Amino acid sequence: MISVDQVTLVIPPLGRIQRQRTLGRLPPEWHKRTWLAVPEREAPFHAWPQLFIHPNIEGIAATRQWIFDTIKTDYVFCFDDDCDFNIRRQYNPPRMRGPATPDEVGAMLIRLVSWLERGIVLVGVSARQNNDKVNECCSAYPQGRLYRVWGYRRAAILEMDGFRFDAVHSVDDFHLALSVLRQGYPIRITYHWAHDDRRGSGAPGGCALNRTPATQAADAHRLAALHPGYVEPVERSSHATWKEWGTRMDMQIQWHRAFMEGHRQYPGRTLAVDCDCGVSGPRLL
């Protein structure tokens, strides 16, 4: 039986009062564990009864650092405020269906919590985009990007000397995952479920309020400086969401290399935790 008493789900909406989607995708039994982390200026306008009110902190990484310093349950999950969820309907080849029902999202949360309880330090949910490129039901490192839905063991993050979410402006999720992998701590990402990211980033509100070509470029170079040899800033044409930028600075990240080198340097920290997804097929341990 999984205990959720030491679990907190946090959604940090910004500029999206009564417009965030994630709450409506969670099963009712998780509502009492779910809080919005909102700036003081927006707090009076939110109807959700459970609010963590921060002093108008700007930037998602600084907000998540405040969340980390403030919320001291054993396990903390960070959800973007615009999440939908899908679930695999078949393997070989992988195929998704959506939207996932609240009960199916509840089963996803129980799976993620169970991994944290068994010693995994960082857990996450794959994006729907490119989910079909991974046939396994879970992976020990990001095969793509880890963002939008993830949770951590707070005590383990405290042991990572010098780690701070706000060392970057808005790519704190990448910074966290690389830091965990490079120190040999175990990660587990489910590909059986996915968050649906097909709407893309950049919708009004949220990180779009603080992200500019300059902050994007600075983040790419800062992440490369924090993780030399694992991150390469690359200039790319902007997709439709950011078409007004023309080009943007993106990042090419060596996730597998970080996983392998962390495992070699700290072999005692690696855990082989079975996915228990109830599906056949290989797993990456």
Side-chain angles (χ1 to χ4, degrees):
M1 182 68 178
I2 301 297
S3 171
V4 298
D5 291 342
Q6 283 298 313
V7 179
T8 304
L9 278 59
V10 188
I11 304 168
L14 178 64
R16 292 174 178 163
I17 297 167
Q18 314 304 349
R19 289 192 295 116
Q20 65 85 35
R21 303 170 63 89
T22 306
L23 283 173
R25 306 308 186 256
L26 302 177
E29 60 268 25
W30 282 89
H31 287 181
K32 65 181 181 180
R33 307 301 313 166
T34 304
W35 296 70
L36 302 185
V38 302
E40 186 176 15
R41 62 180 177 272
E42 294 185 5
F45 305 102
H46 282 280
W48 191 251
Q50 295 166 174
L51 301 179
F52 290 120
I53 302 173
H54 62 73
N56 298 323
I57 295 169
E58 300 296 336
I60 186 59
T63 300
R64 287 180 177 145
Q65 182 63 47
W66 181 88
I67 288 169
F68 181 79
D69 293 338
T70 303
I71 301 173
K72 299 181 179 180
T73 50
D74 290 347
Y75 314 128
V76 179
F77 284 85
C78 293
F79 283 63
D80 280 12
D81 62 5
D82 57 350
C83 292
D84 289 306
F85 296 96
N86 299 147
I87 188 170
R88 278 194 177 171
R89 58 182 172 84
Q90 73 172 51
Y91 284 76
N92 300 313
R95 293 289 184 269
M96 304 298 292
R97 68 163 174 81
T101 67
D103 283 347
E104 289 168 336
V105 174
M108 177 192 79
L109 290 167
I110 291 295
R111 178 66 39 74
L112 297 176
V113 173
S114 75
W115 288 345
L116 292 174
E117 287 194 330
R118 286 186 283 169
I120 299 296
V121 169
L122 179 63
V123 299
V125 178
S126 74
R128 174 157 181 159
Q129 183 183 27
N130 295 323
N131 178 283
D132 61 349
K133 302 295 192 295
V134 180
N135 191 58
E136 295 83 7
C137 60
C138 65
S139 174
Y141 58 90
Q143 299 188 54
R145 295 185 171 185
L146 176 59
Y147 66 113
R148 299 191 78 202
V149 181
W150 41 272
Y152 54 79
R153 293 176 60 91
R154 188 173 185 277
I157 307 303
L158 283 170
E159 292 176 359
M160 293 166 49
D161 290 341
F163 176 82
R164 290 187 62 88
F165 289 88
D166 58 1
V168 291
H169 180 266
S170 61
V171 292
D172 53 292
D173 37 16
F174 300 166
H175 176 41
L176 173 63
L178 278 168
S179 299
V180 171
L181 287 171
R182 290 182 61 197
Q183 295 196 36
Y185 290 110
I187 283 180
R188 187 69 76 246
I189 301 167
T190 178
Y191 285 80
H192 188 64
W193 291 270
H195 60 78
D196 193 340
D197 60 345
R198 289 176 295 176
R199 292 191 309 278
S201 58
C207 289
L209 295 174
N210 297 298
R211 184 187 287 125
T212 67
T215 63
Q216 180 85 359
D219 258 350
H221 289 288
R222 176 61 174 157
L223 196 68
L226 289 166
H227 303 282
Y230 300 95
V231 179
E232 179 184 359
V234 293
E235 190 172 47
R236 290 181 175 148
S237 297
S238 293
H239 51 67
T241 304
W242 305 104
K243 60 183 178 182
E244 69 275 10
W245 288 11
T247 61
R248 74 186 192 282
M249 192 63 69
D250 207 339
M251 291 148 282
Q252 185 170 316
I253 300 177
Q254 302 294 328
W255 296 111
H256 183 254
R257 180 184 171 193
F259 165 70
M260 294 300 294
E261 293 187 4
H263 173 63
R264 280 195 291 266
Q265 188 169 357
Y266 303 99
R269 293 178 177 174
T270 301
L271 288 175
V273 175
D274 196 345
C275 287
D276 292 340
C277 287
V279 297
S280 59
R283 291 180 291 272
L284 300 178
L285 298 178

